[in-house]
Amino acid sequence: LLEYTPGQLWIRRIIRPRYASGGTVVAAESPSWIPLPRTNAGPSLLAHILVSKYRDHLPLNRQLHILSRRGMTLKSSTLCDWVHAAARLLEPLYDTLVRQVMHSDYLQVDETTIPVLDSDHPGAARKGYHWVVRSPQSRAMFFHYDNGSRARAVASDIFRDFRGALQSDGYNVYDIFENHPGITTIGCWAHARRKFEQALDNDPPRASFALSIIQRMYDIERECRQHNLNPQQVYIIRQQRARPLTEELHRWLMENRSDKRAAIDKAISYTLGIYPRLCRYLDDGRYLIDNNMAENAVRPLALGRKNYLFCGSHRAARNAAMIYSLLGTCCLNGLNPLQWLS
Protein backbone atom coordinates (compact mmCIF):
# COMPACT_ATOMS: atom_id res chain seq x y z
CA LEU A 1 0.00 0.00 0.00
CA LEU A 2 1.12 3.51 -0.73
CA GLU A 3 0.80 5.76 2.31
CA TYR A 4 1.54 9.44 2.89
CA THR A 5 3.09 11.31 5.80
CA PRO A 6 2.77 15.12 5.60
CA GLY A 7 5.96 17.16 5.73
CA GLN A 8 7.25 17.71 9.24
CA LEU A 9 8.37 20.88 10.98
CA TRP A 10 11.19 20.40 13.43
CA ILE A 11 13.55 22.55 15.49
CA ARG A 12 17.29 22.52 14.95
CA ARG A 13 19.03 23.64 18.15
CA ILE A 14 22.28 25.55 17.67
CA ILE A 15 24.17 25.79 20.96
CA ARG A 16 26.75 28.58 21.22
CA PRO A 17 28.40 28.51 24.66
CA ARG A 18 29.46 31.87 26.10
CA TYR A 19 32.68 32.18 28.05
CA ALA A 20 33.89 34.94 30.32
CA SER A 21 37.53 35.82 29.92
CA GLY A 22 39.28 38.81 31.45
CA GLY A 23 36.09 40.72 31.96
CA THR A 24 34.76 40.08 28.44
CA VAL A 25 32.24 37.54 27.18
CA VAL A 26 33.03 35.62 24.00
CA ALA A 27 30.89 33.20 22.00
CA ALA A 28 31.20 31.23 18.80
CA GLU A 29 29.96 32.93 15.63
CA SER A 30 26.67 31.86 14.10
CA PRO A 31 27.03 29.10 11.47
CA SER A 32 27.63 30.60 8.03
CA TRP A 33 24.91 28.44 6.45
CA ILE A 34 22.08 30.19 8.35
CA PRO A 35 20.37 32.19 5.57
CA LEU A 36 18.62 34.84 7.69
CA PRO A 37 20.55 35.12 10.99
CA ARG A 38 18.03 37.37 12.76
CA THR A 39 15.12 35.00 12.13
CA ASN A 40 14.31 31.41 13.03
CA ALA A 41 13.76 30.38 9.40
CA GLY A 42 16.02 27.54 8.34
CA PRO A 43 17.15 26.86 4.74
CA SER A 44 14.74 23.99 4.14
CA LEU A 45 11.74 25.99 5.42
CA LEU A 46 12.55 28.98 3.22
CA ALA A 47 13.03 26.69 0.24
CA HIS A 48 9.69 25.01 0.95
CA ILE A 49 7.89 28.38 1.11
CA LEU A 50 9.43 29.62 -2.16
CA VAL A 51 8.84 26.39 -4.07
CA SER A 52 5.28 26.13 -2.72
CA LYS A 53 4.43 29.60 -3.99
CA TYR A 54 6.44 29.88 -7.19
CA ARG A 55 6.35 26.28 -8.41
CA ASP A 56 3.28 24.74 -6.73
CA HIS A 57 1.21 27.96 -6.95
CA LEU A 58 0.22 28.18 -3.27
CA PRO A 59 -0.32 31.80 -2.11
CA LEU A 60 1.37 32.71 1.17
CA ASN A 61 -1.98 33.04 2.95
CA ARG A 62 -2.85 29.47 2.00
CA GLN A 63 0.55 28.32 3.21
CA LEU A 64 -0.11 29.98 6.58
CA HIS A 65 -3.19 27.78 7.05
CA ILE A 66 -1.24 24.67 6.03
CA LEU A 67 1.56 25.49 8.47
CA SER A 68 -0.93 26.19 11.26
CA ARG A 69 -2.39 22.69 10.85
CA ARG A 70 1.09 21.40 11.56
CA GLY A 71 1.40 23.43 14.74
CA MET A 72 3.26 26.49 13.47
CA THR A 73 1.57 29.87 13.82
CA LEU A 74 3.06 32.73 11.82
CA LYS A 75 1.96 36.20 10.83
CA SER A 76 1.40 37.00 7.18
CA SER A 77 3.89 39.86 7.42
CA THR A 78 6.55 37.45 8.72
CA LEU A 79 6.15 35.15 5.74
CA CYS A 80 6.29 38.12 3.35
CA ASP A 81 9.46 39.41 5.02
CA TRP A 82 11.07 35.98 4.69
CA VAL A 83 10.28 35.84 0.96
CA HIS A 84 11.71 39.34 0.39
CA ALA A 85 14.86 38.53 2.38
CA ALA A 86 15.34 35.20 0.59
CA ALA A 87 14.99 36.95 -2.77
CA ARG A 88 17.75 39.39 -1.79
CA LEU A 89 20.02 36.45 -1.03
CA LEU A 90 19.27 34.93 -4.44
CA GLU A 91 19.82 38.13 -6.42
CA PRO A 92 23.54 37.55 -7.17
CA LEU A 93 22.71 34.07 -8.44
CA TYR A 94 19.93 35.52 -10.61
CA ASP A 95 22.31 38.13 -12.05
CA THR A 96 24.78 35.36 -12.89
CA LEU A 97 22.02 33.36 -14.60
CA VAL A 98 21.04 36.37 -16.70
CA ARG A 99 24.63 36.85 -17.86
CA GLN A 100 24.91 33.16 -18.71
CA VAL A 101 21.72 33.17 -20.79
CA MET A 102 22.65 36.38 -22.60
CA HIS A 103 25.97 34.84 -23.68
CA SER A 104 24.03 32.42 -25.88
CA ASP A 105 23.86 33.17 -29.60
CA TYR A 106 20.29 31.91 -29.99
CA LEU A 107 17.51 33.16 -27.70
CA GLN A 108 13.74 33.05 -27.56
CA VAL A 109 11.68 35.83 -25.96
CA ASP A 110 8.06 36.31 -24.93
CA GLU A 111 6.07 38.46 -22.51
CA THR A 112 3.20 37.75 -20.14
CA THR A 113 0.99 39.89 -17.93
CA ILE A 114 1.21 40.16 -14.16
CA PRO A 115 -1.22 42.33 -12.13
CA VAL A 116 0.72 44.61 -9.76
CA LEU A 117 -0.35 47.01 -7.02
CA ASP A 118 1.42 50.29 -7.75
CA SER A 119 1.82 52.83 -4.92
CA ASP A 120 1.97 55.62 -7.53
CA HIS A 121 -1.46 54.58 -8.84
CA PRO A 122 -3.58 53.55 -5.83
CA GLY A 123 -6.71 51.53 -6.43
CA ALA A 124 -7.07 48.52 -8.65
CA ALA A 125 -4.06 46.48 -9.71
CA ARG A 126 -2.41 47.69 -12.91
CA LYS A 127 -1.36 45.38 -15.72
CA GLY A 128 2.36 44.76 -15.60
CA TYR A 129 4.54 42.53 -17.76
CA HIS A 130 7.21 39.94 -17.18
CA TRP A 131 9.57 39.24 -20.08
CA VAL A 132 10.90 35.69 -20.40
CA VAL A 133 14.16 34.96 -22.21
CA ARG A 134 15.14 31.35 -22.86
CA SER A 135 18.25 29.75 -24.32
CA PRO A 136 17.19 26.49 -26.01
CA GLN A 137 20.79 25.26 -26.30
CA SER A 138 21.93 25.79 -22.69
CA ARG A 139 18.62 24.83 -21.01
CA ALA A 140 18.51 28.09 -19.08
CA MET A 141 15.99 30.92 -18.87
CA PHE A 142 15.16 34.03 -16.89
CA PHE A 143 12.29 36.43 -16.29
CA HIS A 144 12.87 40.17 -16.46
CA TYR A 145 10.70 42.78 -14.73
CA ASP A 146 11.08 46.52 -15.34
CA ASN A 147 8.31 48.23 -13.38
CA GLY A 148 5.79 46.26 -15.40
CA SER A 149 6.63 47.89 -18.72
CA ARG A 150 6.19 46.22 -22.11
CA ALA A 151 7.71 49.17 -23.94
CA ARG A 152 10.27 49.09 -26.72
CA ALA A 153 12.87 50.61 -24.38
CA VAL A 154 12.75 47.49 -22.18
CA ALA A 155 13.48 45.18 -25.11
CA SER A 156 16.31 47.48 -26.19
CA ASP A 157 17.79 47.35 -22.69
CA ILE A 158 17.54 43.56 -22.35
CA PHE A 159 19.21 42.86 -25.71
CA ARG A 160 21.52 45.88 -25.96
CA ASP A 161 24.66 43.69 -25.94
CA PHE A 162 23.17 40.57 -27.52
CA ARG A 163 24.53 39.22 -30.78
CA GLY A 164 22.91 36.24 -32.42
CA ALA A 165 19.47 34.92 -33.41
CA LEU A 166 16.42 36.23 -31.56
CA GLN A 167 13.11 34.37 -31.94
CA SER A 168 9.80 35.96 -31.02
CA ASP A 169 6.17 36.32 -32.00
CA GLY A 170 4.93 39.17 -34.19
CA TYR A 171 4.74 41.81 -31.42
CA ASN A 172 5.86 45.00 -33.17
CA VAL A 173 8.37 45.93 -30.45
CA TYR A 174 10.70 43.30 -31.90
CA ASP A 175 10.72 45.15 -35.23
CA ILE A 176 13.57 47.28 -33.84
CA PHE A 177 15.88 44.26 -34.15
CA GLU A 178 15.11 43.72 -37.82
CA ASN A 179 18.27 44.74 -39.73
CA HIS A 180 19.98 45.41 -36.40
CA PRO A 181 23.75 44.79 -36.70
CA GLY A 182 24.62 41.42 -35.21
CA ILE A 183 21.03 40.26 -34.59
CA THR A 184 19.00 37.88 -36.77
CA THR A 185 15.27 37.89 -36.06
CA ILE A 186 13.29 34.65 -36.34
CA GLY A 187 9.51 34.32 -36.35
CA CYS A 188 7.19 31.78 -34.76
CA TRP A 189 5.11 29.48 -36.94
CA ALA A 190 2.90 28.53 -33.98
CA HIS A 191 1.57 32.08 -33.84
CA ALA A 192 0.95 32.17 -37.58
CA ARG A 193 -0.82 28.80 -37.38
CA ARG A 194 -2.98 30.11 -34.53
CA LYS A 195 -4.23 32.96 -36.72
CA PHE A 196 -5.45 30.50 -39.37
CA GLU A 197 -7.03 28.27 -36.74
CA GLN A 198 -9.04 31.31 -35.59
CA ALA A 199 -10.12 31.83 -39.20
CA LEU A 200 -11.51 28.31 -39.70
CA ASP A 201 -15.10 29.39 -38.94
CA ASN A 202 -14.75 32.42 -41.18
CA ASP A 203 -13.28 30.73 -44.29
CA PRO A 204 -12.80 26.95 -43.87
CA PRO A 205 -11.37 26.18 -47.36
CA ARG A 206 -8.61 28.80 -47.34
CA ALA A 207 -7.77 28.47 -43.64
CA SER A 208 -7.57 24.68 -44.00
CA PHE A 209 -5.25 24.99 -46.99
CA ALA A 210 -2.78 27.18 -45.08
CA LEU A 211 -2.98 24.92 -42.04
CA SER A 212 -2.30 21.83 -44.14
CA ILE A 213 0.97 23.27 -45.45
CA ILE A 214 2.06 24.42 -41.98
CA GLN A 215 1.22 20.97 -40.62
CA ARG A 216 3.49 19.34 -43.22
CA MET A 217 6.29 21.65 -42.06
CA TYR A 218 5.72 20.51 -38.47
CA ASP A 219 5.69 16.88 -39.61
CA ILE A 220 9.20 17.37 -40.95
CA GLU A 221 10.35 18.76 -37.60
CA ARG A 222 8.81 15.83 -35.74
CA GLU A 223 10.60 13.34 -37.98
CA CYS A 224 13.92 15.10 -37.35
CA ARG A 225 13.40 14.84 -33.59
CA GLN A 226 12.34 11.20 -33.79
CA HIS A 227 15.51 10.31 -35.70
CA ASN A 228 17.65 12.47 -33.39
CA LEU A 229 19.29 14.25 -36.32
CA ASN A 230 22.14 16.68 -35.70
CA PRO A 231 21.80 20.36 -36.76
CA GLN A 232 23.58 19.85 -40.09
CA GLN A 233 21.29 16.96 -40.99
CA VAL A 234 18.24 18.99 -39.96
CA TYR A 235 19.44 21.86 -42.17
CA ILE A 236 19.72 19.57 -45.21
CA ILE A 237 16.28 18.03 -44.65
CA ARG A 238 14.71 21.46 -44.32
CA GLN A 239 16.27 22.69 -47.57
CA GLN A 240 15.03 19.63 -49.41
CA ARG A 241 11.52 19.38 -47.99
CA ALA A 242 10.50 22.43 -45.93
CA ARG A 243 11.76 25.28 -48.09
CA PRO A 244 9.55 24.28 -51.08
CA LEU A 245 6.57 24.31 -48.71
CA THR A 246 7.34 27.85 -47.47
CA GLU A 247 7.68 29.03 -51.08
CA GLU A 248 4.35 27.42 -52.02
CA LEU A 249 2.63 29.02 -49.05
CA HIS A 250 4.14 32.42 -49.85
CA ARG A 251 2.79 32.31 -53.41
CA TRP A 252 -0.66 31.39 -52.08
CA LEU A 253 -0.58 34.19 -49.50
CA MET A 254 0.34 36.76 -52.14
CA GLU A 255 -2.52 35.57 -54.37
CA ASN A 256 -5.06 35.72 -51.53
CA ARG A 257 -4.08 38.89 -49.68
CA SER A 258 -6.80 41.49 -49.27
CA ASP A 259 -7.55 44.74 -47.44
CA LYS A 260 -10.69 43.24 -45.94
CA ARG A 261 -10.91 42.77 -42.16
CA ALA A 262 -12.25 39.21 -42.00
CA ALA A 263 -10.37 36.72 -39.82
CA ILE A 264 -8.79 34.97 -42.82
CA ASP A 265 -7.57 38.31 -44.21
CA LYS A 266 -6.03 39.21 -40.86
CA ALA A 267 -4.30 35.83 -40.73
CA ILE A 268 -2.87 36.30 -44.24
CA SER A 269 -1.79 39.87 -43.47
CA TYR A 270 -0.11 38.86 -40.20
CA THR A 271 1.79 36.00 -41.83
CA LEU A 272 2.94 38.07 -44.80
CA GLY A 273 4.05 40.88 -42.50
CA ILE A 274 6.64 38.69 -40.79
CA TYR A 275 7.22 36.12 -43.55
CA PRO A 276 10.98 36.69 -43.93
CA ARG A 277 11.37 36.07 -40.18
CA LEU A 278 9.19 32.96 -40.33
CA CYS A 279 11.44 31.39 -42.96
CA ARG A 280 14.75 32.07 -41.19
CA TYR A 281 14.46 28.94 -39.08
CA LEU A 282 15.46 27.16 -42.30
CA ASP A 283 18.92 28.78 -42.23
CA ASP A 284 20.33 26.87 -39.25
CA GLY A 285 19.51 23.40 -37.97
CA ARG A 286 19.74 24.63 -34.37
CA TYR A 287 16.84 27.04 -34.80
CA LEU A 288 13.35 25.89 -33.87
CA ILE A 289 10.25 26.27 -35.97
CA ASP A 290 8.39 28.13 -33.24
CA ASN A 291 8.72 30.03 -29.98
CA ASN A 292 6.86 27.44 -27.90
CA MET A 293 9.78 26.82 -25.53
CA ALA A 294 9.55 30.42 -24.32
CA GLU A 295 5.77 30.18 -24.05
CA ASN A 296 6.08 26.96 -22.02
CA ALA A 297 8.44 28.72 -19.61
CA VAL A 298 5.63 31.21 -18.87
CA ARG A 299 3.15 28.56 -17.73
CA PRO A 300 4.21 28.37 -14.03
CA LEU A 301 3.79 32.15 -13.75
CA ALA A 302 0.41 32.00 -15.50
CA LEU A 303 -0.80 29.31 -13.08
CA GLY A 304 0.58 31.19 -10.09
CA ARG A 305 -1.13 34.49 -10.84
CA LYS A 306 -4.49 32.71 -11.02
CA ASN A 307 -3.97 31.73 -7.40
CA TYR A 308 -2.26 34.69 -5.74
CA LEU A 309 -4.04 37.13 -8.14
CA PHE A 310 -1.46 39.96 -8.03
CA CYS A 311 1.95 41.10 -6.79
CA GLY A 312 1.78 43.58 -3.92
CA SER A 313 4.45 45.91 -5.33
CA HIS A 314 7.05 46.32 -8.05
CA ARG A 315 9.55 44.87 -5.60
CA ALA A 316 7.41 41.75 -5.15
CA ALA A 317 7.05 41.38 -8.92
CA ARG A 318 10.83 41.57 -9.34
CA ASN A 319 11.25 38.99 -6.56
CA ALA A 320 8.87 36.73 -8.45
CA ALA A 321 10.91 37.20 -11.64
CA MET A 322 14.11 36.14 -9.88
CA ILE A 323 12.64 33.10 -8.17
CA TYR A 324 10.70 31.92 -11.24
CA SER A 325 13.96 32.19 -13.20
CA LEU A 326 16.01 30.04 -10.84
CA LEU A 327 13.35 27.41 -10.21
CA GLY A 328 12.43 27.29 -13.90
CA THR A 329 16.03 26.70 -14.95
CA CYS A 330 16.33 24.10 -12.22
CA CYS A 331 13.39 22.17 -13.65
CA LEU A 332 14.68 22.50 -17.23
CA ASN A 333 17.75 20.58 -16.08
CA GLY A 334 15.81 17.83 -14.30
CA LEU A 335 16.72 18.94 -10.78
CA ASN A 336 14.42 18.75 -7.77
CA PRO A 337 13.82 22.48 -7.08
CA LEU A 338 13.16 21.98 -3.36
CA GLN A 339 16.31 19.92 -2.87
CA TRP A 340 18.41 22.30 -4.99
CA LEU A 341 17.21 25.46 -3.27
CA SER A 342 17.59 23.97 0.20
Side-chain angles (χ1 to χ4, degrees), residues 88-101:
R88 296 283 74 77
L89 288 176
L90 294 171
E91 190 164 6
L93 191 58
Y94 167 78
D95 293 338
T96 302
L97 173 63
V98 171
R99 289 194 295 271
Q100 175 186 326
V101 172

Side-chain angles (χ1 to χ4, degrees), residues 6 16 37 50 53-54 59 67 76 96 157 163 165 188 211 215 224 231 237 241 243 288-290 297 318 323:
R16 300 165 59 205
L50 296 183
K53 178 172 182 179
Y54 296 104
L67 291 172
S76 177
T96 302
D157 182 56
R163 296 296 179 268
C188 172
L211 287 171
Q215 183 58 52
C224 291
I237 293 293
R241 298 174 54 190
R243 188 171 290 280
L288 302 177
I289 192 172
D290 57 37
R318 175 166 166 76
I323 299 167

Side-chain angles (χ1 to χ4, degrees), residues 66-87:
I66 294 172
L67 291 172
S68 69
R69 292 202 300 266
R70 298 173 185 171
M72 183 177 180
T73 302
L74 292 170
K75 293 181 179 179
S76 177
S77 59
T78 300
L79 222 54
C80 289
D81 290 343
W82 286 358
V83 170
H84 287 312

Side-chain angles (χ1 to χ4, degrees), residues 253-323:
L253 292 169
M254 294 296 290
E255 293 169 358
N256 286 270
R257 61 181 175 175
S258 168
D259 293 332
K260 297 178 181 179
R261 303 303 297 167
I264 187 65
D265 300 305
K266 291 180 180 179
I268 293 172
S269 176
Y270 172 88
T271 307
L272 278 174
I274 59 171
Y275 210 75
R277 290 188 219 170
L278 289 171
C279 294
R280 287 182 189 138
Y281 86 98
L282 300 169
D283 297 336
D284 191 318
R286 297 176 304 150
Y287 301 160
L288 302 177
I289 192 172
D290 57 37
N291 205 37
N292 283 351
M293 275 193 172
E295 288 198 351
N296 291 342
V298 167
R299 287 181 180 176
L301 190 151
L303 290 170
R305 71 186 175 215
K306 288 183 179 180
N307 286 273
Y308 52 71
L309 302 181
F310 58 84
C311 289
S313 64
H314 289 309
R315 175 189 174 191
R318 175 166 166 76
N319 290 346
M322 291 191 291
I323 299 167

